[in-house]
Amino acid sequence: MFVSIDPAHSRAAALSSVQPRLSLIMVVYMTGPALMESVRHVLDEPLVEEFILVDNGSSLADAAWLRELARREPRVQLLQGLGNIGFARAANLGAAAAKGEALVFLNPDAFLTPGAVAALVDAARDRPSPCVIGARVFNTDGTEQRGARRGEITPVTTLLTLSKLSATLPPLRRFEIHRESEAPPSHPVDTPTISGACFYMSASDFHVLGGFDEGFFLHVEDIDLCWRARQKGGSVLFQPNARIIHVGSTSKENPLVVEWHKGKGLVRYFLKRADSPQRKLLALVLAPLILGVAVARPLLRQLVRGRMGRPVERLAPLTKPPLTKPAV
């Protein structure tokens, strides 16, 4: 591993006695054109006093661009040469390198909007620790994205949600974990699970929890972090006034591989949190179904498109999320 900062930059950083109040951590892996736009929005945010970029793998052009960025931008620290070590481990390395009292984790294909970071910081005041604050996530067309406010994630709710049965069969709608179809609150509210695409924690709270569980390679580590915060008597909040735009599906990784890791992570999570032999047995019985449904989704999408190749990658025009006060 090496830090891609030239000696002059390193000496300047060492001479600086001012500790950053907030560090933003971004893990990069074959992100594509959304990366530069995401970085630009981060650097436009004055509250981000330190920007930690952990490169798990990029094209030669993007890797060179990141190195040049780290050389000319004093706020940027780049960890590169790691290989693809998984999101959780890379994010933990970024948090260990960060000097800020507060941490914001942001996906490399997500774009901050003005005031988003301030809203996350504000929501954390006087909340039980450890505290996790999640943002409201929008698609590029301005609609709210799935996953930013979710209910309790269990083997049953997951299976019914992945198969879409909870959304299509009225008797099963009480098992639906996604809340984006509901009217958004006007203020931060307790929510069992927020999105890892953008969230805030104090550095001390993150370290009290031991950071992300590195047993998760990709996906579900955010669900696990929220659960562990609640288990310790802390709080998980959805902040509707912290708005980000998340492009999603920009990685050049095969969708089948991504969904396999997601399904595998869910099974691991359910076994980890099973607090009785009965719940552990239920998790084991449903594990093949969860893995099967997770992998079947990208296969079905590919069949619908009429081909098995990867879709052409495009960065859709961005639509700003609505700035009007949401309904209570």
Side-chain angles (χ1 to χ4, degrees), residues 78-96:
L78 174 64
L79 304 181
Q80 204 171 47
L82 305 162
N84 187 8
I85 59 175
F87 175 85
R89 186 180 170 196
N92 286 346
L93 284 174

Side-chain angles (χ1 to χ4, degrees), residues 19-23 98-103 200-205:
Q19 180 181 0
R21 287 166 292 184
L22 186 142
S23 301
K99 300 180 183 67
E101 297 174 0
L103 306 175
Y200 165 98
M201 289 189 77
S202 70
S204 59
D205 280 358

Side-chain angles (χ1 to χ4, degrees), residues 98 182 189 243-244 312:
E182 299 175 4
V189 294
R243 300 173 172 90
I244 69 160
V312 176

Side-chain angles (χ1 to χ4, degrees), residues 20-316:
R21 287 166 292 184
L22 186 142
S23 301
L24 187 141
I25 298 162
M26 180 181 290
V27 177
V28 176
Y29 178 73
M30 294 298 181
T31 303
L35 174 61
M36 293 183 185
E37 184 73 5
S38 180
V39 167
R40 181 180 69 81
H41 282 276
V42 172
L43 294 176
D44 284 345
E45 173 51 67
L47 291 180
V48 175
E49 296 178 348
E50 182 181 50
F51 186 7
I52 310 290
L53 278 155
V54 186
D55 187 4
N56 266 8
S58 291
S59 67
L60 292 176
D62 283 353
W65 179 80
L66 288 170
R67 287 193 291 272
E68 177 58 28
L69 174 72
R71 289 190 180 99
R72 62 181 168 79
E73 173 53 62
R75 286 184 288 170
V76 171
Q77 182 180 166
L78 174 64
L79 304 181
Q80 204 171 47
L82 305 162
N84 187 8
I85 59 175
F87 175 85
R89 186 180 170 196
N92 286 346
L93 284 174
K99 300 180 183 67
E101 297 174 0
L103 306 175
V104 170
F105 293 85
L106 182 72
N107 276 15
D109 57 354
F111 311 138
L112 296 173
T113 66
V117 173
L120 290 171
V121 173
D122 183 67
R125 292 192 175 93
D126 302 319
R127 300 289 183 172
S129 293
C131 182
V132 184
I133 314 288
R136 188 177 180 197
V137 184
F138 290 86
N139 296 304
T140 57
D141 62 2
T143 58
E144 186 173 341
Q145 195 169 99
R146 286 163 63 91
R149 40 179 172 146
R150 288 173 282 182
E152 193 69 54
I153 297 175
T154 68
V156 173
T157 59
T158 296
L159 189 59
L160 292 175
T161 297
L162 284 175
S163 63
K164 300 191 182 298
L165 291 175
S166 58
T168 55
L169 298 178
L172 300 178
R173 281 179 186 161
R174 64 191 179 94
F175 295 105
E176 177 59 47
I177 58 176
H178 295 284
R179 304 285 184 256
E180 71 277 354
S181 61
E182 299 175 4
S186 59
H187 57 277
V189 294
D190 289 292
T191 304
T193 315
I194 52 84
S195 171
C198 180
F199 71 94
Y200 165 98
M201 289 189 77
S202 70
S204 59
D205 280 358
F206 187 75
H207 295 308
V208 161
L209 289 177
F212 286 113
D213 181 344
E214 295 182 8
F216 296 98
F217 187 81
L218 177 66
H219 289 301
V220 190
E221 67 285 320
D222 53 345
I223 297 172
D224 174 76
L225 189 75
C226 291
W227 173 66
R228 287 188 286 123
R230 291 187 286 123
Q231 288 294 104
K232 281 191 172 288
S235 51
V236 178
L237 297 172
F238 169 68
Q239 169 55 295
N241 300 314
R243 300 173 172 90
I244 69 160
I245 299 168
H246 186 212
V247 178
S249 302
T250 60
S251 173
K252 297 176 182 178
E253 183 61 86
N254 189 311
L256 284 174
V257 174
V258 173
E259 292 298 329
W260 167 257
H261 283 301
K262 184 182 295 184
K264 184 180 176 182
L266 285 166
V267 171
R268 184 179 188 277
Y269 171 67
F270 297 139
L271 289 172
K272 179 179 177 179
R273 64 172 285 176
D275 54 5
S276 69
Q278 293 83 1
R279 289 184 177 177
K280 187 171 184 179
L281 179 62
L282 178 63
L284 288 170
V285 168
L286 293 181
L289 285 173
I290 292 170
L291 283 168
V293 171
V295 173
R297 294 194 306 165
L299 284 174
L300 288 173
R301 285 195 293 266
Q302 289 172 348
L303 288 172
V304 168
R305 292 189 188 103
R307 57 188 176 89
M308 295 302 290
R310 220 175 269 158
V312 176
E313 184 179 331
R314 294 187 180 90
L315 183 58

